[in-house]
Amino acid sequence: MDTHCHFDDHSFAPDRLQLLKEMQTLGVSDLIIPAITQASWDAIQTLCTSQAGLHAAYGLHPLYLAEHTQQHLTILADFIQGNRLQVIAVGECGLDFFLPDLDVQRQTEFFNAQLKLAKQFDLPVIIHARRSVDAVLSCIRRVGGLRGVVHSFAGSLQQAEQLIAQGFYLGAGGTLTYERAHRLRYVLKTVPLEFLLLETDAPDQPDSQWRGQRNTPLRLPVIAEALAELRSCSVESIAKVTTTNAQNLFGIN
């Protein structure tokens, strides 16, 4: 299962149905599609209700801070309430301290509000945490009673263990296939497999064999193989355990 794929992206418009067919032949059973702005929610809802195996999460991504308004948080609460059986998570939300022009205080306000919505509706949360894991941890602890995944995890082993202790999973994607990602590869080799999820973040973050090209869910087996090699276990065990993890977290049968 690909637990983080922006399959609503316009780059997939020409071949989305073909990719869905090819996914099945590769054993990629499901996709979780996290929203990034309020403007994308309707399209994601339409997509996920039109095709089996596609699951929707709704949120406000920190990179698109300029597009968000306070009203969008109210609309998000109403949207979740009105589509309770279809929404599997709140997200993508979080903090991004990589880009200096993004207002940290405003990011934090939107993030905290979405964490509170996840708690209110008893939903997992899909978190973006670029150069911000400690701040994300602080917000998670402050709200309390949460569960979810930090997607494309890139922190330290200590941070990973703290997130796991808070009930969170770590998203492992194409970055782990790069030999230079020493710290990440050590973390993903060390933490219990029961707390890892597989993701592509397509169309972004291609694996090392696919750099410079549009990423797709068809690359998920490459990530699974790399993780299996890293952990000295079978690809089958990686696929089975990470899929079970995703099913447990997001309530997917």
Side-chain angles (χ1 to χ4, degrees):
M1 184 187 300
D2 187 346
T3 61
H4 199 106
C5 175
H6 296 285
F7 206 52
D8 60 312
D9 189 83
H10 64 87
S11 66
F12 291 122
D15 60 348
R16 190 177 283 120
L17 293 178
Q18 181 60 35
L19 286 170
L20 286 169
K21 292 178 183 177
E22 293 180 31
M23 278 167 44
Q24 298 304 316
T25 66
L26 292 176
V28 181
S29 60
D30 295 77
L31 298 180
I32 294 175
I33 306 176
I36 55 175
T37 65
Q38 188 270 334
S40 67
W41 297 348
D42 287 342
I44 289 175
Q45 183 181 43
T46 299
L47 178 60
C48 289
T49 53
S50 67
Q51 298 290 333
L54 303 184
H55 311 280
Y58 299 99
L60 302 168
H61 194 299
L63 284 183
Y64 301 88
L65 194 61
E67 298 182 36
H68 308 330
T69 68
Q70 287 296 318
Q71 186 181 13
H72 289 163
L73 293 168
T74 302
I75 296 171
L76 178 57
D78 292 341
F79 195 92
I80 294 171
Q81 182 66 50
N83 300 277
R84 191 64 186 84
L85 297 178
Q86 189 247 346
V87 180
I88 66 161
V90 173
E92 180 176 357
C93 58
L95 300 173
D96 193 304
F97 294 171
F98 178 71
L99 297 178
D101 294 336
L102 291 173
D103 185 284
V104 171
Q105 181 177 345
R106 192 159 180 265
Q107 282 191 67
T108 305
E109 290 170 357
F110 275 93
F111 182 41
N112 283 332
Q114 290 175 88
L115 291 180
K116 290 174 183 176
L117 284 177
K119 185 174 182 177
Q120 175 185 339
F121 289 104
D122 191 26
L123 286 168
V125 59
I126 298 172
I127 295 178
H128 172 100
R130 187 160 63 157
R131 304 276 178 90
S132 61
V133 178
D134 284 339
V136 162
L137 268 162
S138 179
C139 292
I140 288 170
R141 290 189 179 110
R142 191 175 302 115
V143 174
L146 296 166
R147 66 190 189 281
V149 55
V150 172
H151 109 90
S152 189
F153 180 77
S156 67
L157 179 58
Q158 182 183 36
Q159 290 170 327
E161 291 171 342
Q162 290 173 345
L163 284 165
I164 289 169
Q166 292 295 318
F168 278 75
Y169 293 76
L170 312 176
T175 310
L176 78 88
T177 66
Y178 289 82
E179 291 292 337
R180 67 176 183 271
H182 300 295
R183 183 174 75 166
L184 174 62
R185 288 165 64 84
Y186 174 71
V187 171
L188 297 179
K189 180 179 180 179
T190 304
V191 300
L193 183 57
E194 288 71 24
F195 295 100
L196 296 182
L197 302 178
L198 296 184
E199 62 171 67
T200 61
D201 198 25
D204 301 318
Q205 295 203 53
D207 58 84
S208 61
Q209 301 173 33
W210 206 247
R211 70 184 78 192
Q213 302 183 68
R214 181 194 65 165
N215 195 12
T216 81
L218 304 183
R219 303 304 296 174
L220 195 71
V222 174
I223 296 167
E225 290 165 7
L227 186 60
E229 182 179 354
L230 195 63
R231 297 183 67 98
S232 301
C233 64
S234 69
V235 176
E236 291 75 16
S237 66
I238 293 292
K240 181 179 180 180
V241 175
T242 57
T243 296
T244 298
N245 294 346
Q247 289 170 336
N248 289 340
L249 175 60
F250 295 108
I252 296 171
N253 296 322

